[in-house]
Amino acid sequence: MEGRRLCRRPAVAVQDTPDRWKAYERELKALQAAYDYLRTPQAAPEWPAAISRLVDAQQRARAAAVAFDERARDIAAAHYKHLHADLGQVQALTKAGYPEAKDWHVGEGFGGYFSDSLKESVDRLIEQLEAHVTKVARLSGMGAG
């Protein structure tokens, strides 16, 4: 009975996590598509508009990551609180009825601290994309310095 009760605890923390993960995946794909478009000849005549769409996609991807991280933080905290259950996060969530959790990016929570957030990952990606776009603009004479 104790094992079954422990498996329900992650389910309480999950709430709308599956929907938030799907929203994140959708926004990340949209971000990648906006960036990929910039690398096509069709983007040249509308470069400022294409860059604007990239910025919008970056903001939506980051917001979706932050929304997912809210639930990930709850899941990580619940898992930390019940470490004695001898199940990893994915195992506990799968046993609680969320097999798709194997794809989720849930960081580590311990003592009120949360690390390895999805937002941090998206921020690193955005920095890489912006560095590339800035370099292209500079080398092509489109940017100031």
Side-chain angles (χ1 to χ4, degrees), residues 34-88:
Y35 176 71
D36 289 346
Y37 177 73
L38 287 175
R39 301 173 68 102
T40 68
Q42 294 82 10
E46 62 159 351
W47 184 259
I51 292 291
S52 179
R53 288 192 300 272
L54 176 67
V55 170
D56 292 343
Q58 289 173 339
Q59 291 170 344
R60 288 190 309 270
R62 189 172 195 274
V66 167
F68 180 82
D69 281 343
E70 290 172 0
R71 291 294 175 261
R73 210 172 259 108
D74 295 340
I75 292 167
H79 185 258
Y80 175 75
K81 186 176 179 181
H82 302 289
L83 282 175
H84 59 278
D86 294 328
L87 294 174

Side-chain angles (χ1 to χ4, degrees), residues 91-121:
Q91 293 168 315
L93 290 166
T94 299
K95 197 165 185 175
Y98 298 95
E100 69 273 24
K102 68 181 179 2
D103 298 325
W104 299 348
H105 180 94
V106 176
E108 296 295 323
F110 48 94
Y113 178 75
F114 180 71
S115 66
D116 194 26
S117 72
L118 196 56
K119 179 191 121 355
E120 292 169 356
S121 176

Side-chain angles (χ1 to χ4, degrees), residues 10-52:
V12 171
V14 169
Q15 299 178 36
D16 60 349
T17 302
D19 292 335
R20 290 183 185 212
W21 181 255
K22 287 176 190 168
Y24 164 74
E25 286 183 315
R26 182 180 59 249
E27 296 304 337
L28 188 63
K29 285 179 185 173
L31 173 57
Q32 189 62 50
Y35 176 71
D36 289 346
Y37 177 73
L38 287 175
R39 301 173 68 102
T40 68
Q42 294 82 10
E46 62 159 351
W47 184 259
I51 292 291
S52 179

